[in-house]
Amino acid sequence: MKVAEVRHILDTIGGMFPDAHCELNHSNAFELTIAVLLSAQCTDATVNKVTEDLFQKYKAPIDYISVPLEELELDIRRIGLFRNKAKHIQNLCAILIEQYGGEVPQAHDLLVTLPGVGRKTANVVVSNAFGVPAIAVDTHVERVAKRLALAGWKDSVLEVEKKLMKAVPRDEWTLTHHRLIFFGRYHCKAQNPGCQICPLLDVCREGKKRMKTAVIRKAKVHTKPNKELEKKRMG
């Protein structure tokens, strides 16, 4: 895709969501790490409801490993895969205490070695907590990037990330990440996206396909009564 086309997409989405930001509530890097870990296969809204009480009870890594696993499981039971995530949290906290003085490491290559922390989580933490430019590819970013041809339909999550990093200016990586999420979460949804009112319909292959299908269906609906009327007349 040409630079001008990418710029058009970024500016348009930026105009729609100028105040896009991380919607996971947190007050420091450690809380953000826990919140992102919990957000896997779960909505940010649900995570925020759980962490509202969780972060009042658990202030530091030592707090998470000072309770039985079963207690932590109960505290996050509203989160999907809560049992596995509880184990990851306790193991992660133990490592932070043993190897990093209870602090979350700032280096991306160290973050991804922590239990329950994948590439996406690490990107979110380094960009939002430590100000390092990064593009975290979640389900919204992946969907939008592929629909707008910023990535290929069959590209892996890592390939999508690399293509976005190449297309988007580095100093805009973090902001673009947030704006793509907002665009995908509130406008270009997985089901029933707002194609008919989308300012990027001209460059969206998915949108064009959906609108074309809608026109064909509408045409069929209009022609069907005419055929039935014609049969009655013939009869």
Side-chain angles (χ1 to χ4, degrees), residues 21-51:
H21 59 279
C22 177
E23 293 192 295
L24 289 170
N25 296 333
H26 65 280
S27 59
N28 53 55
F30 176 60
E31 288 186 354
L32 179 60
T33 303
I34 298 299
V36 183
L37 188 157
L38 291 173
S39 72
Q41 299 183 43
C42 185
T43 65
D44 286 2
T46 298
V47 173
N48 286 337
K49 289 178 182 178
V50 171
T51 57

Side-chain angles (χ1 to χ4, degrees), residues 80-171:
L81 306 174
F82 69 92
R83 289 189 176 86
N84 283 336
K85 290 177 181 178
K87 291 178 183 177
H88 286 323
I89 289 174
Q90 287 200 333
N91 290 334
L92 178 150
C93 289
I95 292 175
L96 291 183
I97 293 170
E98 294 168 5
Q99 299 183 22
Y100 302 105
E103 300 294 329
V104 175
Q106 297 188 23
H108 188 279
D109 58 344
L110 294 179
L111 280 168
V112 294
T113 65
L114 298 174
V117 177
R119 187 173 182 85
K120 185 202 79 172
T121 300
N123 281 342
V124 173
V125 173
V126 298
S127 60
N128 289 280
F130 303 125
V132 179
I135 296 180
V137 180
D138 68 352
T139 181
H140 300 297
V141 174
E142 181 180 7
R143 179 176 65 256
V144 170
K146 291 182 176 181
R147 285 180 174 177
L148 295 176
L150 292 168
W153 287 120
K154 297 182 179 180
D155 284 349
S156 65
V157 172
L158 180 57
E159 288 170 332
V160 172
E161 180 186 334
K162 288 181 177 180
K163 287 185 177 180
L164 287 174
M165 289 169 66
K166 184 177 180 180
V168 179
R170 190 174 188 275
D171 61 349

